[in-house]
Amino acid sequence: MTMQEPSPWKKTILAAMTSYIDAGSIVAGAAGLSLWQAYLGMSGLQMGLLAALSSNAASAAVGALIGGRICDKYGRKFVYTYDLLIYIVGMLFIVFGVNYPMLLGGYIIVGLGVGADVVASWTLIAEEAPAKDRAKHCGSAQFAWALGPAVVLLMSAWLNTYGLLGNRIVFGHLIIIAAWVWYQRLKMPESKDWRAAKEEEERLIREGKVEKVSYATLLSGINLKTVLFLCGVYTIWNLCASTWGFFMPYIFENVGKLSNSVSQLMSVGSFVISFLATFFIFMQLGDRMSRRLLYGIIGGIYVIAWFVWTLPADMLSMWMLVMFVVFAGINNGSGQQAFYQLWCSELFPTKYRATAQGLTFFITRILAAIWGFSVPMIMESFGFRYAAMLIVAFAAISWLVGTIGAPKTEGKTLKQIEIERYGHEVK
């Protein structure tokens, strides 16, 4: 009896759930940071290490770099079958953590699993999606990325009243979801694109004609231009987004002069707007209209959103802060990250698609770690307005790079895109 082939949407949803547990783990850590600090008596240095080595930064970067290479060598299924087990082990360290080494070790292990899974899952979604609906399928991961934090923040608002036990329960629900997704993935077949590419590679190896993939391949010719383009779009933007994700409650309260409860409400609202924007804007329009135009509009309003924070604090009014939440939420749901996920999968051939995504994701998260470490010092030395000016500059650079360099790939198969870009099928 043969196993029934899952539908493209089932494959997409099971792959997209990585984004839920990735973003959920980041926000769960932020929501419970003060509780863990009080429980363990963590110093500023210890909290800084926790942030820098977590799934929001360095450990995910390393996981993506390693996972991307393994993904191209041994298959998408190999990675997404085992990486969630690594994630679950890390989560168990956190849930049952009783000292700082257990907590830090858990964060690092979770990040390694998440980094590898993001690369495998995003690659698989693009390869299995119908050409005419690729943005819609890729957008589902972005939808899950916004849904995870929204659910975690709502759970935290309720469960954190029980102290650290509540935060452990929040992390525990991510273990349950990861275990269910892992079990469902056991029934999924390998990517058809990767399987065909691997068979062709084995034939070329027998004939002595194979060219081994190295990072030198990705850092030369058209591949280097693509890496620079994607880093200009995503890496630079992520400096803004990482600030938004980690420091916004602090900024709302200390710069915007909002109460803690209103600040939390604004944070939840921004993630709700994000997943609504993903569904109603990116997933509905990404395959139906010019992606250059769509990117230009969404990226432009992000520059406007951050410009609000360059104004003197006494000029800020509630309508400006609400506008920031709405514009930033729309961008985070249907802007640079959604386009990066789509373009990174489209613009590289199957042979090293995951390796390329792992490399660019690695660069992004490493720079996010460095920037996140620098932001508090910039705010302390020069004030938040100076940091906001830098963020506006980052948003503007990302907007211009993506709008000018946006490739016309909508409606085309991955093979068509490959031949157009390289002039031939990459063996």
Side-chain angles (χ1 to χ4, degrees), residues 119-424:
V119 173
S121 298
W122 287 3
T123 300
L124 181 75
I125 291 172
E127 291 177 346
E128 295 293 322
K132 63 182 179 61
D133 287 326
R134 191 178 301 115
K136 182 177 289 187
H137 280 253
C138 289
S140 64
Q142 189 68 13
F143 180 89
W145 181 87
L147 181 63
V151 172
V152 165
L153 283 171
L154 289 172
M155 290 181 67
S156 298
W158 169 45
L159 290 170
N160 279 6
T161 58
Y162 297 96
L164 190 59
L165 173 63
N167 189 244
R168 293 180 193 270
I169 293 172
V170 172
F171 274 110
H173 108 276
L174 295 171
I175 293 177
I176 294 171
I177 292 175
W180 178 81
V181 173
W182 170 78
Y183 176 73
Q184 294 297 321
R185 285 181 177 182
L186 293 178
K187 309 170 189 177
M188 289 176 62
E190 180 58 84
S191 160
K192 296 185 184 71
D193 282 19
W194 181 84
R195 199 162 54 231
K198 192 66 177 176
E199 290 171 358
E200 178 67 8
E201 181 185 51
E202 290 171 353
R203 182 185 67 81
L204 293 172
I205 288 174
R206 290 193 298 270
E207 297 175 3
K209 299 177 181 178
V210 73
E211 176 190 355
K212 289 188 176 180
V213 175
S214 66
Y215 287 109
T217 306
L218 295 176
L219 298 176
S220 61
I222 189 172
N223 290 326
L224 176 60
K225 294 178 182 178
T226 306
V227 167
L228 292 175
F229 167 70
L230 292 169
C231 287
V233 167
Y234 184 54
T235 306
I236 302 299
W237 169 85
N238 196 63
L239 299 176
C240 313
S242 60
T243 306
W244 177 79
F246 194 79
F247 293 105
M248 280 321 298
Y250 173 87
I251 295 168
F252 278 136
E253 293 174 36
N254 292 274
V255 182
K257 305 303 180 185
L258 302 180
S259 66
N260 179 265
S261 58
V262 174
S263 172
Q264 294 299 326
L265 183 63
M266 298 281 259
S267 296
V268 173
S270 66
F271 283 111
V272 171
I273 292 169
S274 291
F275 68 71
L276 290 175
T278 303
F279 183 80
F280 289 107
I281 298 176
F282 188 78
M283 293 177 69
Q284 304 305 319
L285 301 178
D287 296 301
R288 306 288 180 262
M289 66 177 285
S290 165
R291 290 178 182 166
R292 185 191 302 273
L293 176 60
L294 183 60
Y295 181 95
I297 295 171
I298 301 299
I301 66 172
Y302 198 56
V303 178
I304 296 171
W306 277 105
F307 183 78
V308 166
W309 295 104
T310 65
L311 300 174
D314 57 4
M315 286 184 62
L316 294 174
S317 57
M318 191 63 187
W319 73 265
M320 293 180 181
L321 303 185
V322 171
M323 183 191 74
F324 170 80
V325 168
V326 173
F327 282 10
I330 290 172
N331 179 275
N332 280 286
S334 55
Q336 281 87 334
Q337 180 162 295
F339 277 96
Y340 160 77
Q341 179 197 343
L342 178 64
W343 284 337
C344 199
S345 297
E346 288 182 334
L347 301 183
F348 292 102
T350 306
K351 182 174 182 178
Y352 44 81
R353 180 172 293 128
T355 302
Q357 192 158 90
L359 174 63
T360 53
F361 195 84
F362 172 82
I363 295 170
T364 298
R365 289 290 173 103
I366 287 294
L367 289 182
I370 296 171
W371 171 249
F373 186 76
S374 305
V375 167
M377 292 184 286
I378 294 173
M379 290 194 292
E380 184 177 330
S381 301
F382 304 103
F384 179 68
R385 284 185 67 198
Y386 184 82
M389 291 176 189
L390 290 175
I391 293 171
V392 169
F394 296 150
I397 291 169
S398 174
W399 172 49
L400 289 173
V401 170
T403 303
I404 294 170
K408 188 172 178 56
T409 53
E410 51 267 34
K412 299 176 182 177
T413 66
L414 295 178
K415 193 60 66 180
Q416 285 177 309
I417 297 169
E418 180 180 314
I419 293 171
E420 285 181 7
R421 290 180 60 77
Y422 293 86
H424 58 86

